[in-house]
Amino acid sequence: MMEQVAVGGTRFGGNKPFVLIAGPCAIENEDLTLRIASGLKDITTRLGCELVFKASYDKANRTAVTSFRGLGMDHGLRILARVKREFELPILSDIHDISQIDAAAEVLDVLQIPAFLCRQTDLLVAAGKTGKPINIKKGQFLAPWDMEHGVNKVVSTGNRQILLTERGATFGYNNLVSDMRALVIMRQLGYPVIFDATHSVQLPGGAGGSSGGQRQFVGALSRAAVATGIDGLFWEVHENPDQALCDGANSLPLAQVETMLKQMLAIDDVVKDSLTQGDK
């Protein structure tokens, strides 16, 4: 039995279409964040796709100590609250420490556990106790079936509002690969599964003091993942990725989102119709 996870008026784990989680990697400034949110809202409304807006108020796991991390929790959460209010969008962002949880839970609709922290018991349990939906990103070092343990840490609090996100697996130095079997395996745990296509093409530390990326492969990996019947697709989006202060090399240009999203929704429609017919 698949759990259905309600995020505002949006629901993960239903039939179709999948939910899009999208936004800039980090909050660079208020105006840019609002413009990207507005653009994404317009696109998804036209195409009939539900949207959860994602942006990080703090990126605590940057490669170098000098890397841009965001605007900090207080300022960042104020901007996210404005996005939520003005565009009527559910909001997702990362939490990195137990001390952030109470303030973040007041604004965020989904608390995201970063991939590097997916085994942190105290963080998972404290997040679960908020009763909020929790998105656990699978560590690049973790087998998909081992996500059961992170799930159980959240479930131990009585919270079953859990999303699981695949973002690639470490393959040698400065490289990730996407194993599409992981999406099927994690979904067998009984919770909605999301594919983070833009982080899956990241080259961790591949640009020396920062991560590189291969955004030219985002479309191909997204199409493959949607064809497995996923519940959500995760894209980092920027107006000008080459000028982005965080993860620009693996982010999608906002101008390309509508065309790519149309492709994904068409595949999703065919695949889920076929799966539904197979259940009859």
Side-chain angles (χ1 to χ4, degrees):
M1 177 69 70
M2 170 66 64
E3 294 282 346
Q4 293 199 1
V5 177
V7 178
T10 299
R11 188 170 297 275
F12 290 84
N15 183 25
K16 64 177 184 179
F18 60 80
V19 178
L20 180 66
I21 300 173
C25 172
I27 299 173
E28 298 180 16
N29 61 66
E30 188 164 1
D31 288 344
L32 176 64
T33 304
L34 294 173
R35 289 198 304 273
I36 294 173
S38 177
L40 289 169
K41 177 69 181 286
D42 288 347
I43 291 166
T44 52
T45 298
R46 281 197 298 274
L47 298 184
C49 180
E50 296 290 343
L51 172 66
V52 173
F53 184 78
K54 179 268 170 188
S56 295
Y57 55 80
D58 180 25
K59 298 294 290 187
N61 59 351
R62 297 303 307 277
T63 302
V65 70
T66 55
S67 296
F68 177 77
R69 291 179 50 165
L71 300 184
M73 186 170 67
D74 292 343
H75 192 182
L77 286 175
R78 284 197 296 272
I79 293 172
L80 291 174
R82 184 176 174 189
V83 171
K84 181 176 181 176
R85 181 176 63 252
E86 294 190 9
F87 299 103
E88 299 181 330
L89 288 172
I91 301 296
L92 177 151
S93 193
D94 307 289
I95 55 171
H96 299 90
D97 186 85
I98 292 173
S99 65
Q100 298 179 356
I101 290 178
D102 288 344
E106 290 184 9
V107 174
L108 306 181
D109 298 282
V110 183
L111 303 179
Q112 179 164 282
I113 308 296
F116 286 129
L117 300 178
C118 69
R119 291 177 51 138
Q120 296 297 104
T121 301
D122 292 345
L123 184 63
L124 287 160
V125 170
K129 287 179 178 178
T130 66
K132 292 273 186 174
I134 310 298
N135 181 32
I136 310 174
K137 300 193 80 171
K138 181 177 77 64
Q140 302 91 322
F141 47 84
L142 207 64
W145 44 85
D146 286 335
M147 284 291 279
E148 178 181 9
H149 305 299
V151 165
N152 288 340
K153 291 173 184 179
V154 176
V155 170
S156 73
T157 69
N159 186 348
R160 302 184 68 89
Q161 296 290 287
I162 300 168
L163 305 169
L164 304 176
T165 295
E166 165 65 23
R167 52 128 322 139
T170 299
F171 188 73
Y173 298 127
N174 304 126
N175 196 28
L176 300 171
V177 296
S178 295
D179 181 358
M180 295 300 159
R181 297 175 301 176
L183 301 170
V184 179
I185 292 166
M186 288 198 297
R187 209 164 186 269
Q188 290 170 351
L189 297 175
Y191 295 90
V193 167
I194 298 157
F195 180 63
D196 181 346
T198 48
H199 278 109
S200 292
V201 301
Q202 191 181 62
L203 301 175
S210 62
S211 293
Q214 298 175 315
R215 81 170 71 99
Q216 68 268 30
F217 297 121
V218 170
L221 291 181
S222 296
R223 290 190 292 272
V226 171
T228 71
I230 55 173
D231 305 285
L233 187 60
F234 188 118
W235 286 342
E236 291 197 319
V237 175
H238 196 279
E239 284 185 342
N240 185 351
D242 291 334
Q243 299 299 316
L245 300 180
C246 179
D247 276 4
N250 52 270
S251 295
L252 285 177
L254 179 60
Q256 293 181 11
V257 168
E258 184 160 5
T259 298
M260 288 187 62
L261 187 56
K262 285 179 181 178
Q263 295 177 4
M264 306 310 153
L265 291 170
I267 295 169
D268 185 73
D269 188 57
V270 171
V271 169
K272 289 180 177 169
D273 276 351
S274 176
L275 292 173
T276 301
Q277 291 297 321
D279 290 338
K280 292 181 179 179

